């Protein structure tokens, strides 16, 4: 796989705008580890190797247990490794990411709204939307994962 373009260099203002959303989320209502779990799950669904590599590394650096991280794709079977809020966030990430398939049913919204305030749910959905956008950039322009670049 070879990189097509450096989209951040090609359109720096657009990249800065996405970066501003990222920075806003870091200062927002949700813990960084929860956002990073969501970023990882969204990236897994979309198959973005660059983002999977980056968010896996971020979670490991933050101290997330490897046993928990490797179960993110099958979090429903992860039992007590995942908190109620993490399970709700991961479920919301899945239904929102697969919006064309799911239509984001009322039951999914109710489950997320039971765990998160309106501000938190809005921030969570911004994070999901942001990662979906970054996944599309990474896949479309063939961003090289750090693990591949080092190989």
């Amino acid at each position: 796989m070879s990189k097509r373009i450096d989209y951040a260099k090609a359109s720096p203002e657009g990249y800065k705008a996405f970066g501003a959303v990222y920075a806003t989320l870091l200062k927002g209502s949700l813990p960084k580890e929860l956002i990073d779990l969501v970023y990882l799950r969204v990236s897994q669904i979309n198959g973005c190797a660059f983002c999977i590599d980056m968010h896996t590394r971020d979670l490991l650096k933050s101290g997330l247990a490897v046993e928990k991280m490797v179960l993110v794709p099958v979090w429903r079977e992860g039992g007590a490794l995942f908190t109620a809020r993490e399970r709700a966030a991961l479920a919301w990430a899945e239904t929102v990411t697969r919006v064309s398939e799911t239509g984001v049913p009322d039951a999914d919204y109710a489950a997320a709204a039971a765990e998160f305030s309106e501000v938190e749910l809005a921030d969570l959905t911004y994070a999901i939307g942001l990662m979906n956008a970054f996944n599309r950039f990474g896949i479309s322009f063939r961003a090289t994962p750090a693990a591949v670049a080092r190989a």
Side-chain angles (χ1 to χ4, degrees):
M1 174 174 81
S2 60
K3 187 175 184 177
R4 292 178 172 164
I5 66 170
D6 181 341
Y7 61 90
K9 217 181 245 183
S11 179
E13 291 304 312
Y15 186 75
K16 285 180 198 172
F18 280 102
V21 175
Y22 179 81
T24 298
L25 290 168
L26 290 177
K27 296 182 285 184
S29 63
L30 298 169
K32 184 177 182 333
E33 186 175 289
L34 180 69
I35 292 172
D36 285 339
L37 279 173
V38 165
Y39 286 164
L40 178 59
R41 185 64 191 122
V42 169
S43 299
Q44 290 169 338
I45 293 166
N46 289 323
C48 182
F50 178 86
C51 295
I52 291 168
D53 180 73
M54 179 173 53
H55 298 298
T56 298
R57 290 171 190 280
D58 288 346
L59 286 162
L60 286 172
K61 285 179 198 166
S62 75
L64 185 74
V66 171
E67 296 82 6
K68 184 173 184 175
M69 190 181 55
V70 299
L71 292 179
V72 169
V74 291
W75 59 269
R76 285 178 178 82
E77 287 78 38
L81 279 177
F82 295 93
T83 67
R85 283 174 60 87
E86 289 170 338
R87 289 191 301 272
L90 292 166
W92 186 245
E94 289 180 359
T95 197
V96 171
T97 297
R98 294 181 172 130
V99 65
S100 68
E101 301 165 26
T102 68
V104 189
D106 289 342
D108 291 355
Y109 172 78
E115 287 293 331
F116 297 101
S117 70
E118 287 185 0
V119 170
E120 291 172 326
L121 192 52
D123 286 349
L124 180 59
T125 308
Y126 281 127
I128 294 163
L130 178 67
M131 192 46 47
N132 272 285
F134 273 128
N135 289 166
R136 279 143 182 82
F137 286 116
I139 293 166
S140 298
F141 298 127
R142 306 290 191 257
T144 305
V148 173
R150 291 185 184 128

